[in-house]
């Protein structure tokens, strides 16, 4: 099978190239089912065959280069295509790896074992927070109790006695003596101090 037809002739006079202006040649080229490249004469030479052909080359050698590309250029194209293919494959593999990693991570989160571990961790966190809150509340309660104890000690009869005061009662009536008007000479009184009780007798009053 023929892939391409080259109609070519080297440079020459107008008479030498006139055959390519023949109508029969031009019609034959136009009717060809196989692609035709025409390279007749020099770059400045034109003929009917040039216009009837599928491609016009300026010279016969240029026509040959169109059919058979330069080896170096062809190799460069192959290298470029290979590099582009490698880049595309690398990118595709990388994207698939990322997708696989994301799907694997998603499956791990959906795993019952992972969910159970996460639930346990949440429970542990709640227990730690609850314990810290209880300790804080207990410390506040202790401080409040300590403050109340201090206030109670300030108003407690025992606290008053420890500061040097005494509670005096009439022995017979057990009433607390608030005024000298409540006693008379000879009355026996019960006196309570911080470390115990004793009796005293009124000798006189002023």
């Amino acid at each position: 099978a023929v892939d391409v037809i080259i109609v070519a002739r080297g440079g020459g006079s107008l008479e030498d190239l006139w055959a390519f202006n023949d109508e029969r040649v031009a019609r034959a080229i136009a009717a060809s089912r196989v692609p035709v490249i025409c390279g007749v004469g020099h770059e400045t030479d034109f003929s009917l065959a040039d216009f009837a052909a599928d491609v016009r080359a300026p010279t016969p050698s240029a026509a040959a280069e169109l059919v058979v590309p330069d080896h170096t250029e062809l190799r460069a194209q192959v290298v470029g295509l290979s590099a582009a293919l490698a880049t595309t494959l690398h990118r595709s593999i990388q994207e698939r790896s990322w997708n696989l990693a994301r799907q694997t991570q998603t499956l791990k989160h959906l795993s019952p074992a992972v969910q159970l571990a996460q639930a346990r961790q949440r429970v542990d966190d709640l227990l730690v927070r609850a314990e810290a809150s209880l300790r804080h509340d207990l410390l506040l309660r202790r401080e409040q109790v300590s403050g109340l104890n201090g206030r109670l000690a300030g108003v407690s009869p025992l606290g008053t006695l420890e500061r040097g005061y005494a509670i005096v009662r009439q022995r017979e009536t057990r009433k607390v003596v608030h005024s000298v008007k409540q006693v008379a000479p000879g009355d026996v009184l019960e006196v309570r101090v911080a470390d115990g009780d004793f009796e005293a007798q009124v000798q006189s009053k002023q």
Side-chain angles (χ1 to χ4, degrees), residues 71-147:
H71 181 71
T72 303
E73 181 181 354
L74 186 60
R75 174 177 292 181
Q77 291 179 358
V78 171
V79 171
L81 291 174
S82 298
L85 179 60
T87 301
T88 302
L89 288 175
H90 177 72
R91 185 181 296 112
S92 177
I93 293 173
Q94 192 173 39
E95 290 178 354
R96 291 177 183 272
S97 298
W98 288 342
N99 290 333
L100 180 60
R102 285 195 296 267
Q103 292 175 1
T104 302
Q105 193 66 23
T106 301
L107 289 176
K108 286 183 179 180
H109 286 300
L110 296 177
S111 170
V114 173
Q115 292 182 351
L116 180 60
Q118 292 176 347
R120 288 177 176 174
Q121 184 62 46
R122 287 194 293 269
V123 171
D124 291 341
D125 293 341
L126 290 175
L127 289 176
V128 171
R129 292 171 58 184
E131 183 178 358
S133 179
L134 288 174
R135 288 181 178 178
H136 180 68
D137 291 343
L138 181 59
L139 180 61
L140 290 179
R141 296 293 185 273
R142 286 179 178 176
E143 292 177 353
Q144 292 175 355
V145 170
S146 178

